[in-house]
Amino acid sequence: MENKRQFKRILLKISGEFFQNKGKNLYSESLEHIISEIKTVYGMGVVVGVVVGGANIIRGAKDSKIRGLPQDELDELGMQATLINGSILSTCLKEKGIPNSVLSAIPVSSSIGELYNKVRMENLLSQNHMLIFVGGTGNPYFTTDTASVLRALQMNADVLLKATKVDGVFDKDPLTFKDAHLYKEITYKEVIDKGLEIMDLTAFSMAWHHNLLIIVFNATVSGNIEKVVKGEEIGTIIEGGNNG
Ligand code: UDP
């Protein structure tokens, strides 16, 4: 499995942790960093779609266990949270001169974006707009990981790039274990067999079923998105097999 390919059409998944801002509203260093990285690859002519998470505000399943509240109701709030993050991203990108549009799986004010629709998506892409997908899948009990697989397939992306704050997929938590091993390449089956947590199983099995190439990489390191797009071996490549 060699990553000697260049990607022309990418779906980037940015989780809510990149929006966490320690009291500084509308600003986080990791978000500013990722925005400048996106600007570089957009400037290279790469077609970019971004799925935005919302776990910095609400994590439906986890918060429901902690608070004893119904998960489906918290999930609705979680989807709204992605709308807030996506709108912040959109505004910041516009400020940097990157034309972009917010496409939502849930109702959204027209001053922020519009409901997802495939024809509209293709129209916007042909106008060189970067796309920010919000609202997850539009349904409770799912996550934005599943939304990222869904949108990657719908926009026919070459690859799903999952941005993280560590270097890729490890055999154990690299923040806790100094001897954690980074996988450069791994198959979907190995991910399941080893019980590695890359994304939730619904999302992962959907990616496997459609043989969607996934690269998990450290988006806090300068130049990494550009390197991944140019085919440099950054992070962990997940592919192989087609029997999900
Ligand atoms: N969510 C949902 N359906 C979806 C996507 C998201 O109900 O299709 C809710 C769910 O509560 C989830 C929250 O939105 O916990 C935030 O999304 P996610 O946890 O995927 O965010 P991330 O971890 O990527 O920041």
Side-chain angles (χ1 to χ4, degrees):
M1 283 192 295
E2 281 204 355
N3 182 24
K4 294 280 181 243
R5 51 202 142 195
Q6 302 211 343
F7 302 116
K8 300 239 171 291
R9 195 175 263 252
I10 63 170
L11 188 290
L12 178 67
K13 162 71 201 298
I14 309 177
S15 61
E17 67 173 333
F18 284 89
F19 291 81
Q20 236 142 20
N21 56 21
K22 294 188 186 129
K24 294 182 194 163
N25 285 337
L26 303 186
Y27 178 85
S28 87
E29 269 175 31
S30 52
L31 181 62
E32 288 300 307
H33 175 78
I34 227 168
I35 285 170
S36 74
E37 298 273 300
I38 291 173
K39 189 172 182 211
T40 304
V41 292
Y42 176 82
M44 288 160 54
V46 176
V47 175
V48 184
V50 177
V51 166
V52 176
N56 55 317
I57 303 172
I58 295 273
R59 305 155 305 167
K62 279 190 188 149
D63 291 338
S64 133
K65 280 192 193 110
I66 294 167
R67 294 296 311 273
L69 296 169
Q71 183 183 336
D72 58 341
E73 291 178 26
L74 293 182
D75 282 342
E76 297 294 341
L77 299 181
M79 288 186 270
Q80 297 287 342
T82 70
L83 225 148
I84 294 170
N85 286 339
S87 306
I88 292 171
L89 178 64
S90 170
T91 302
C92 294
L93 284 165
K94 278 182 190 149
E95 189 199 39
K96 303 264 182 224
I98 302 178
N100 69 84
S101 299
V102 173
L103 290 180
S104 177
I106 54 175
V108 57
S109 147
S110 59
S111 58
I112 290 175
E114 54 196 300
L115 270 184
Y116 171 85
N117 158 320
K118 187 161 184 188
V119 175
R120 181 71 178 134
M121 173 184 75
E122 280 165 359
N123 238 319
L124 289 165
L125 288 176
S126 70
Q127 291 168 42
N128 233 5
H129 272 229
M130 208 198 101
L131 298 182
I132 300 169
F133 298 109
V134 299
T137 63
N139 290 292
Y141 301 107
F142 288 96
T143 66
T144 55
D145 280 338
T146 304
S148 64
V149 175
L150 174 70
R151 297 303 185 215
L153 294 173
Q154 284 172 313
M155 71 176 272
N156 203 18
D158 304 324
V159 63
L160 191 170
L161 301 180
K162 185 166 161 79
T164 68
K165 292 190 173 183
V166 294
D167 287 341
V169 179
F170 291 81
D171 60 346
K172 49 194 168 188
D173 183 0
L175 301 177
T176 311
F177 300 96
K178 284 207 168 98
D179 63 340
H181 166 73
L182 171 71
Y183 296 103
K184 300 293 272 176
E185 306 165 339
I186 192 161
T187 64
Y188 302 106
K189 187 168 185 311
E190 284 170 326
V191 169
I192 299 291
D193 289 349
K194 293 178 195 296
L196 302 173
E197 289 178 15
I198 292 165
M199 47 178 64
D200 64 83
L201 275 183
T202 308
F204 193 76
S205 56
M206 188 172 165
W208 184 3
H209 184 73
H210 293 277
N211 216 16
L212 175 66
L213 178 67
I214 302 171
I215 300 181
V216 182
F217 73 105
N218 191 337
T220 68
V221 175
S222 286
N224 261 3
I225 299 186
E226 181 182 354
K227 284 181 184 163
V228 174
V229 162
K230 286 181 169 168
E232 287 186 38
E233 288 183 13
I234 300 292
T236 304
I237 302 170
I238 305 154
E239 63 178 342
N242 196 13
N243 53 350

